[in-house]
């Protein structure tokens, strides 16, 4: 349902649900700079978005899976305090599914895309997404979901390595595993995590230039009102993580495939989707679909300032979304994450200093540093220093106490590093250029 009682063009508030990464800060700056009031709901009081000049108020409230019932009541209470219907933007898959599942209760006070809840659930689950995509003729890597250790063993006996291992669950990250013994060892590690399950995906060889992204906004008729494609240059964690340096590049095949995919599903809302080019058969294969805003969405910004957050805001508040095109070659960087990853790439022999220096040509925006909004960058710097001190202190402990120290620090000091899984996640199993 659109808000037809607007008042001033940008008077409708925005409520950001979850601020664990730089994406939330990007939302606040994007719609906040238009003049829209921005409010943040998160379970941490240390996220950098709360320090933004565009954040009217920060609400600290548990938003994990154990608090879903109370969260509906709290969001409704927050909306009544704000005093008018607001655009609600979730920043994680979990929160996007929560919003879709509870749209009936929330829509009294929140303006939401009119999306059937089963659609984002199908897309967020990697196994069901692959099944849906293949049914529609969209290429994906071969994927297998083992239900037991014996099925993992059977997989090992009949499959080629390496494979991509994608466990789900808090604190669990994906790996590229090269042997059956390594896969079984990793499986035994994650089996102890409650609620964890495992996806095994075909490994597609290629460096970061084969990884493509699409960001777009689809209206109630599943028409793409704003969309753009780009490539990852560096990732955090390295080889398997989110983009920490990326570039906008037009890719008609990726764009058209995504638009057709979402039209067939009847999808509406913001979409973040990843592809990998498979040189073996010349196809772009869908890796992941995030039915919500991506943390790297500010890579995809037109000269007029249009991005997916603004496109959704305008459309849901009954305003036209003017045509906009992202500049070819525009680059965007997450400052501290890219620094950490660059050191790792250099140590692995795949990044020279001259290549690193040249890679910043064309950077038009950074995730945190902003002259107009300086406090979030300062907050991140303080958190990163705190995290570095904690890690150095842990390394100085006798070996038997290192794991205990890590386990005690269940909440990372840096919200940014937590969002990238850098606290407890082991390094990528295969530190090579073709991963």
């Amino acid at each position: 349902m659109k808000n037809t009682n607007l008042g001033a063009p940008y008077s409708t508030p925005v409520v950001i649900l979850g601020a664990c990464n730089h994406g939330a800060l990007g939302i606040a700056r994007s719609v906040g700079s238009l003049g829209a009031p921005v409010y943040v709901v998160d379970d941490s009081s240390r996220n950098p978005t709360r320090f933004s000049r565009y954040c009217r108020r920060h609400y600290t409230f548990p938003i994990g899976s154990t608090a879903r019932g109370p969260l509906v009541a709290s969001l409704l209470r927050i909306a009544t305090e704000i005093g008018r219907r607001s655009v609600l933007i979730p920043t994680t898959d979990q929160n996007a599914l929560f919003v879709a599942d509870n749209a009936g209760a929330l829509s009294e006070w929140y303006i939401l895309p009119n999306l059937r809840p089963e659609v984002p659930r199908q897309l967020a689950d990697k196994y069901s997404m692959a099944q849906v995509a293949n049914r529609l003729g969209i290429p994906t890597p071969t994927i297998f979901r083992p239900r037991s250790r014996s099925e993992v063993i059977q997989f090992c006996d009949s499959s080629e390595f390496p494979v991509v291992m994608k466990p789900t669950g808090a604190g669990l990250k994906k790996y590229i595993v090269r042997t059956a013994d390594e896969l079984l060892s990793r499986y035994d590690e994650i089996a102890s995590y409650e609620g964890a399950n495992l996806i095994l995906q075909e490994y597609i060889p290629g460096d970061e230039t084969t990884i493509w992204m699409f960001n777009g906004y689809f209206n109630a008729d599943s028409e793409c009102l704003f969309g753009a494609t780009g490539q990852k240059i560096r990732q955090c964690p390295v080889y398997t993580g989110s983009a920490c340096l990326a570039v906008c590049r037009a890719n008609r095949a990726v764009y058209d495939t995504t638009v057709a995919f979402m039209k067939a599903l009847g999808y509406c809302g913001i979409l973040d989707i990843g592809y990998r080019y498979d040189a073996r058969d010349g196809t772009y294969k869908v890796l992941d679909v995030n039915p919500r805003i991506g943390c790297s969405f500010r890579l995809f910004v037109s000269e007029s300032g249009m991005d997916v957050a603004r496109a959704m805001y305008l459309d849901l508040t009954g305003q036209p979304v003017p045509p906009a095109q992202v500049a070819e070659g525009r680059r965007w960087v997450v400052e501290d994450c890219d620094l950490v990853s660059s050191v790792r790439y250099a140590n692995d022999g795949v990044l020279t200093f001259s290549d690193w220096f040249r890679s910043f040509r064309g950077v038009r925006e950074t995730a945190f540093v902003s002259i107009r909004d300086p406090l979030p960058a300062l907050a991140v710097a303080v958190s990163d220093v705190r995290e570095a001190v904690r890690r150095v202190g842990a390394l100085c402990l006798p070996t038997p106490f290192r794991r205990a120290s890590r386990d005690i620090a269940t909440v990372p000091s840096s919200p940014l590093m937590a969002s990238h899984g850098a606290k407890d996640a082991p390094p990528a199993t295969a530190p090579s250029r073709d991963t």
Side-chain angles (χ1 to χ4, degrees), residues 144-188:
F144 176 66
R145 173 181 283 170
R147 298 297 186 181
S148 64
R149 196 177 195 275
S150 62
E151 290 191 3
V152 176
I153 295 174
Q154 292 175 8
F155 174 87
C156 293
D157 292 338
S158 60
S159 301
E160 294 183 359
F161 285 84
V163 297
V164 182
M165 175 181 176
K166 294 185 175 182
T168 61
L172 301 176
K173 301 300 172 183
K174 62 184 177 183
Y175 304 96
I176 298 166
V177 294
R178 299 199 176 268
T179 67
D181 289 342
E182 184 181 3
L183 177 56
L184 288 170
S185 175
R186 291 289 188 191
Y187 175 82
D188 291 338

Side-chain angles (χ1 to χ4, degrees), residues 304-324:
S304 63
M306 184 62 66
D307 58 32
V308 291
R310 287 191 181 187
M312 185 173 79
Y313 181 86
L314 292 173
D315 185 51
L316 292 184
T317 56
Q319 302 177 75
V321 180

Side-chain angles (χ1 to χ4, degrees), residues 65 327 376:
S65 59

Side-chain angles (χ1 to χ4, degrees), residues 34 226 301-307 310 322-325:
L34 293 175
F226 176 83
V301 182
S302 73
E303 293 297 332
S304 63
M306 184 62 66
D307 58 32
R310 287 191 181 187
Q325 187 171 355

Side-chain angles (χ1 to χ4, degrees), residues 101-223:
D101 290 341
N102 294 278
L106 294 171
S107 60
E108 179 184 359
W109 281 99
Y110 290 100
I111 310 168
L112 308 170
N114 187 20
L115 182 62
R116 292 178 289 115
E118 64 270 18
V119 174
R121 195 163 293 281
Q122 284 179 327
L123 294 176
D125 182 274
K126 294 177 177 59
Y127 187 73
S128 66
M129 180 278 295
Q131 291 181 312
V132 172
N134 293 160
R135 189 166 62 246
L136 295 172
I138 309 292
T140 67
T142 303
I143 194 168
F144 176 66
R145 173 181 283 170
R147 298 297 186 181
S148 64
R149 196 177 195 275
S150 62
E151 290 191 3
V152 176
I153 295 174
Q154 292 175 8
F155 174 87
C156 293
D157 292 338
S158 60
S159 301
E160 294 183 359
F161 285 84
V163 297
V164 182
M165 175 181 176
K166 294 185 175 182
T168 61
L172 301 176
K173 301 300 172 183
K174 62 184 177 183
Y175 304 96
I176 298 166
V177 294
R178 299 199 176 268
T179 67
D181 289 342
E182 184 181 3
L183 177 56
L184 288 170
S185 175
R186 291 289 188 191
Y187 175 82
D188 291 338
E189 288 177 6
I190 72 165
S192 61
Y193 286 82
E194 183 179 356
N197 59 62
L198 179 65
I199 293 294
L200 300 175
Q201 190 178 78
E202 174 192 9
Y203 170 77
I204 301 175
D207 60 18
E208 276 78 352
T209 61
T210 66
I211 304 173
W212 288 85
M213 302 175 287
F214 172 95
N215 261 227
Y217 171 72
F218 295 80
N219 67 7
D221 295 322
S222 299
E223 298 169 340

Side-chain angles (χ1 to χ4, degrees), residues 25-158:
L25 178 60
I27 298 169
R29 287 173 171 172
S30 177
V31 296
S33 61
L34 293 175
V38 176
Y39 301 84
V40 176
V41 180
D42 191 62
D43 52 13
S44 172
S45 61
R46 293 181 291 179
N47 68 76
T49 309
R50 71 167 302 186
F51 300 102
S52 172
R53 61 179 288 192
Y54 302 107
C55 179
R56 291 281 185 96
R57 184 172 176 182
H58 178 274
Y59 296 88
T60 304
F61 186 84
I63 59 175
S65 59
T66 59
R68 312 315 270 175
L71 181 55
V72 173
S74 293
L75 286 174
L76 294 177
R77 175 181 56 80
I78 290 169
T80 58
E81 289 183 11
I82 295 173
R84 62 179 304 175
R85 295 184 76 213
S86 306
V87 174
L88 182 62
I89 306 180
T91 60
T92 66
D93 286 351
Q94 184 184 55
N95 289 330
L97 296 179
F98 160 80
V99 170
D101 290 341
N102 294 278
L106 294 171
S107 60
E108 179 184 359
W109 281 99
Y110 290 100
I111 310 168
L112 308 170
N114 187 20
L115 182 62
R116 292 178 289 115
E118 64 270 18
V119 174
R121 195 163 293 281
Q122 284 179 327
L123 294 176
D125 182 274
K126 294 177 177 59
Y127 187 73
S128 66
M129 180 278 295
Q131 291 181 312
V132 172
N134 293 160
R135 189 166 62 246
L136 295 172
I138 309 292
T140 67
T142 303
I143 194 168
F144 176 66
R145 173 181 283 170
R147 298 297 186 181
S148 64
R149 196 177 195 275
S150 62
E151 290 191 3
V152 176
I153 295 174
Q154 292 175 8
F155 174 87
C156 293
D157 292 338
S158 60

Side-chain angles (χ1 to χ4, degrees), residues 307-372:
D307 58 32
V308 291
R310 287 191 181 187
M312 185 173 79
Y313 181 86
L314 292 173
D315 185 51
L316 292 184
T317 56
Q319 302 177 75
V321 180
Q325 187 171 355
V326 173
E328 184 80 2
R330 172 187 164 89
R331 296 193 178 200
W332 166 91
V333 64
V334 185
E335 303 92 306
D336 55 350
C337 285
D338 188 65
L339 178 60
V340 171
S341 289
S342 294
V343 171
R344 173 66 187 276
Y345 284 116
N347 288 339
D348 290 344
V350 297
L351 181 66
T352 66
F353 178 79
S354 59
D355 289 339
W356 175 81
F357 184 79
R358 286 194 298 268
S359 69
F360 295 108
R361 294 175 181 173
V363 170
R364 300 285 299 276
E365 185 173 330
T366 58
F368 294 107
V369 174
S370 169
I371 296 176
R372 292 177 54 83

